[in-house]
Structure formats: C-alpha cells, structure tokens
Amino acid sequence: MNNPTESIVNVWLQEFNDPRHFTRNNIYVHRKSHKDHGKKIMGGLGPEIDIISTDGKKYYWIEVSVPSRPFGAGGHKGKAVARDYTKKFTNEKLRYISDILKIRSVNKWLIYSPKFFKKTSNEEEIFRETLLKKGIKGVSFDNVLKEIYSGLNYR
C-alpha cells in the first residue's frame, strides 16, 4: 500500500542523500502453498517490505512507521515502542531479501515519528539505543523532513 510518508522517505533517499540511493518499495513477500495437518493452505501475499535501497555500495532495508495522522505525545516508553517496531524486521522478510533478492548483507533502518515521545523525556533516546542493540538504526522522520527542506534552498 502506498503511504505518503514512504513517498517522502523515497524522495529523501533518492534526492537528498549523499550518495543518492536507488530504491525499490512496497515489496510483497510471496508465500508458497503448503500443507497443514493434511489440509492445503494456499499461499499468496505475505508481509510487505517498505523499502530496499542501495547507494551503490551497501544495501538498506528500510521500514517506515510514521502515522499519516500523528497523535500528540503520548508519553510512550522507548523500550516498549522499540519492541513493537522490531517486529517489522521479520525472519520471513530477511529470508526473502537473501534468497530471492540475493542480498547477503543489509543495513536495517527504521523511520519513526518522534511524536510518540514527550519532548521533556529521554524515551526517544532509549528507543534509538534499544533499536541499535537489535542492529537497527532509528531515523526520526522530523530529521528526514528537515534535510529535505534545507535541500530545497527556499529563501
């Protein structure tokens, strides 16, 4: 499904990163038919990988989790939110990346909304540190927007 925030992240990767990225987005992991207790279970579309990109040297698996209608600071706990977001990086998706796309080494990024956290707390920092322990770089959507805006050279 096309998400406006994914489109903005694509523009950021392709136009405002140095080096620029080539991207492929909304990749569905197809599931094969299989038998479960003798009953045939049909395959079909599985989970979706938001963005796979490359800068020509490295590959990046990017999941975007920014609500289109963000709610105010809810005072969420960094570790709890990180635990939920790491579920987006499933083994099923990783197998698809390595087996089908033939990408052996991939950097994981999560684009997130800082609106989940109160500005007066350090929960966002705890959130990013928790992600890093799982091998995922947390990138604030606010920073993406700031880089795009500064790159437009509006005066």
Side-chain angles (χ1 to χ4, degrees), residues 1 7 32 58 67 74 101 103 111 118 137-138 140 142 153:
M1 168 152 74
S7 298
K32 295 180 180 179
K58 296 179 182 175
L101 300 179
I103 298 171
I111 311 297
K118 289 183 179 178
K137 177 182 177 182
S140 167
D142 282 1
N153 293 323

Side-chain angles (χ1 to χ4, degrees), residues 119-142:
K119 291 183 179 182
T120 57
S121 76
N122 67 339
E123 291 299 327
E124 185 176 356
E125 185 179 323
I126 292 169
F127 169 75
R128 283 195 313 266
E129 289 172 1
T130 305
L131 287 175
L132 269 177
K133 289 177 185 173
K134 300 280 187 178
I136 302 167
K137 177 182 177 182
V139 179
S140 167
F141 189 64
D142 282 1

Side-chain angles (χ1 to χ4, degrees), residues 26-73:
N26 302 327
I27 305 164
Y28 284 99
V29 176
H30 296 278
R31 292 185 171 148
K32 295 180 180 179
S33 299
H34 65 281
K35 289 194 177 193
D36 186 19
H37 301 296
K39 184 178 179 183
K40 186 174 182 179
I41 306 295
M42 298 304 290
L45 295 180
E48 178 190 54
I49 299 169
D50 290 341
I51 301 171
I52 292 288
S53 77
T54 182
D55 60 8
K57 295 177 184 164
K58 296 179 182 175
Y59 287 95
Y60 301 86
W61 170 9
I62 301 163
E63 293 291 342
V64 180
S65 201
V66 179
S68 300
R69 300 175 133 207
F71 52 87

Side-chain angles (χ1 to χ4, degrees), residues 66-83:
V66 179
S68 300
R69 300 175 133 207
F71 52 87
H76 295 284
K77 299 295 181 193
K79 286 185 179 183
V81 176
R83 196 170 31 254

Side-chain angles (χ1 to χ4, degrees), residues 77-96:
K77 299 295 181 193
K79 286 185 179 183
V81 176
R83 196 170 31 254
D84 288 342
Y85 278 154
T86 55
K87 293 176 186 174
K88 292 180 74 68
F89 295 90
T90 64
N91 288 333
E92 185 177 14
K93 291 179 184 180
L94 186 59
R95 274 192 305 275
Y96 183 86

